[in-house]
Amino acid sequence: PVLSMMQQAADLSGAVKPLRIGLSWRSTNPSTGKSRSIPLQRMVRLFDKIDRDIALVNLQYGDVSAEISTSNDTSVHRIEYQSGINYVHDTATFLDTVRSVDVVVSIDNSTLFFAGHLNKPTFALLSPTPHWVWGKAQEQSIWFPSIQLLQTEESEAWEDKFTSVLLSLQSIIDCNGHDARTDSDGSG
């Protein structure tokens, strides 16, 4: 469903532009947040495998400037973020940012609910014990049809889910007709 939504959007737009991917990697829930979160560096390595022009956009709430700065120093694709903006306190800016992306990749946190409410194509990376609203062993959210559920069976075993997201994103990018990423001199 996420892929078909993106393909329909590509057919309508006709314009070639970088795919804008919104990211959220951490839950601050005191009892389950740690098991639901994925270190940013680990998540970003997924996108480093994409050899096309993409734009990563921060959708993570809280003060994440240090994490993003570290990631941007070591990763192929830089994460766009608005320094000094905390989405917890500025929901309007957060919603505008979610609207600005083409697709969302998020762990099990409130970002999923906002993306689903906005009908944004979304990949939900779920831990073995996700929030009850996502159900168990489902591939599609019954509450938000734009959200594809990718639940791991073991904590920290994200690689197969990352591969699923990567393959879907590659298909979306290919469908949109994006050119291979080029160096600044245009040589590739």
Side-chain angles (χ1 to χ4, degrees), residues 6-74:
M6 290 302 299
Q7 288 170 334
Q8 289 170 4
D11 292 341
L12 295 174
S13 73
V16 176
K17 59 181 182 168
L19 184 70
R20 292 179 54 80
I21 304 167
L23 303 179
S24 186
W25 58 92
R26 185 174 4 130
S27 170
T28 58
N29 182 301
S31 60
T32 60
K34 186 174 180 178
S35 67
R36 292 179 181 177
S37 299
I38 300 173
L40 176 60
Q41 286 297 102
R42 187 170 180 192
M43 186 182 272
V44 167
R45 281 195 301 265
L46 159 74
F47 303 102
D48 283 349
K49 297 176 183 178
I50 297 176
D51 67 347
R52 303 295 176 109
D53 195 15
I54 62 172
L56 300 179
V57 179
N58 174 47
L59 297 180
Q60 181 60 54
Y61 49 85
D63 181 9
V64 294
S65 56
E67 283 177 273
I68 291 174
S69 179
T70 299
S71 176
N72 285 347
D73 287 344
T74 60

Side-chain angles (χ1 to χ4, degrees), residues 97-111:
T97 306
V98 174
R99 285 184 191 101
S100 79
V101 300
D102 299 307
V103 64
V104 172
V105 178
S106 178
I107 56 95
D108 185 0
N109 65 16
S110 59
T111 300

